[in-house]
Amino acid sequence: MKYTKEINIQLPRDQVIELFDSTDNLYQWQPGLKNFEHLSGDPGKEGARSRMVYEGRKGDLVMTETITKRNLPDEFHVSYKARGVFNEVYNYFSEPEPGTTLWKTENIFRFRGALAVMIPFMKKAFIQNTGLSMERFKAFAESKKENQ
């Protein structure tokens, strides 16, 4: 499954990147995140691996994040691996006009087992969840502008 989402954030790109690039900020815009633990590599750099634990409907969801490309402020690519799911996310940031950041994501999911059979019924939910996550980050980032 592959799809693209984008959102405009009313902040300059350098400020968006500063907020996006902080793992401490994840707790502010990713509800359900219980733990973020660095596993290996230089934190925040290409090749770094981390363990993320989210509160799920049927128990904790544990995934491993790997940074696959870090070319900020332009792009930041990661992969996530969880039971039965492999997800690649390509994040792109541009500043189409001063003070506005366009955040675009390309999302690629691969599924195994029972999940693979369910995808035709679940695709819309995955796309909506990505959009909701981006909206949460936008609200978080723009709230920082109001506090300056």
Side-chain angles (χ1 to χ4, degrees):
M1 174 176 66
K2 183 177 180 178
Y3 60 89
T4 302
K5 295 289 289 182
E6 60 183 49
I7 194 167
N8 281 302
I9 302 169
Q10 299 306 309
L11 270 180
R13 182 171 72 164
D14 63 333
Q15 291 178 22
V16 168
I17 295 304
E18 184 179 337
L19 294 168
F20 182 86
D21 196 33
S22 168
T23 56
D24 291 338
N25 288 340
L26 290 173
Y27 297 95
Q28 302 295 315
W29 60 278
Q30 293 192 15
L33 179 61
K34 294 170 62 173
N35 189 40
F36 183 93
E37 173 189 3
H38 176 73
L39 298 174
S40 65
D42 288 336
K45 306 294 184 206
E46 286 183 26
R49 293 179 58 243
S50 302
R51 181 176 179 260
M52 302 173 80
V53 180
Y54 289 88
E55 186 175 321
R57 286 179 257 180
K58 297 180 179 179
D60 287 347
L61 170 64
V62 179
M63 63 177 71
T64 302
E65 174 192 73
T66 303
I67 299 173
T68 57
K69 184 173 187 177
R70 180 186 171 92
N71 182 29
L72 292 173
D74 299 315
E75 56 190 325
F76 184 78
H77 304 186
V78 291
S79 67
Y80 299 96
K81 187 175 183 180
R83 189 172 8 137
V85 181
F86 182 76
N87 175 217
E88 295 172 275
V89 182
Y90 304 106
N91 295 283
Y92 300 97
F93 303 92
S94 61
E95 196 165 18
E97 57 187 63
T100 301
T101 301
L102 175 64
W103 175 23
K104 177 181 174 183
T105 67
E106 293 177 6
N107 304 270
I108 302 169
F109 284 87
R110 293 180 186 87
F111 302 92
R112 291 189 322 251
L115 281 175
V117 176
M118 298 299 293
I119 286 312
F121 308 103
M122 297 170 58
K123 183 175 182 176
K124 186 175 179 181
F126 276 85
I127 295 169
Q128 287 175 336
N129 191 51
T130 297
L132 182 58
S133 183
M134 294 174 82
E135 288 284 347
R136 285 184 185 126
F137 178 78
K138 172 187 168 85
F140 163 71
E142 290 177 352
S143 77
K144 296 302 178 188
K145 179 180 181 179
E146 295 167 6
N147 294 332
Q148 292 179 344

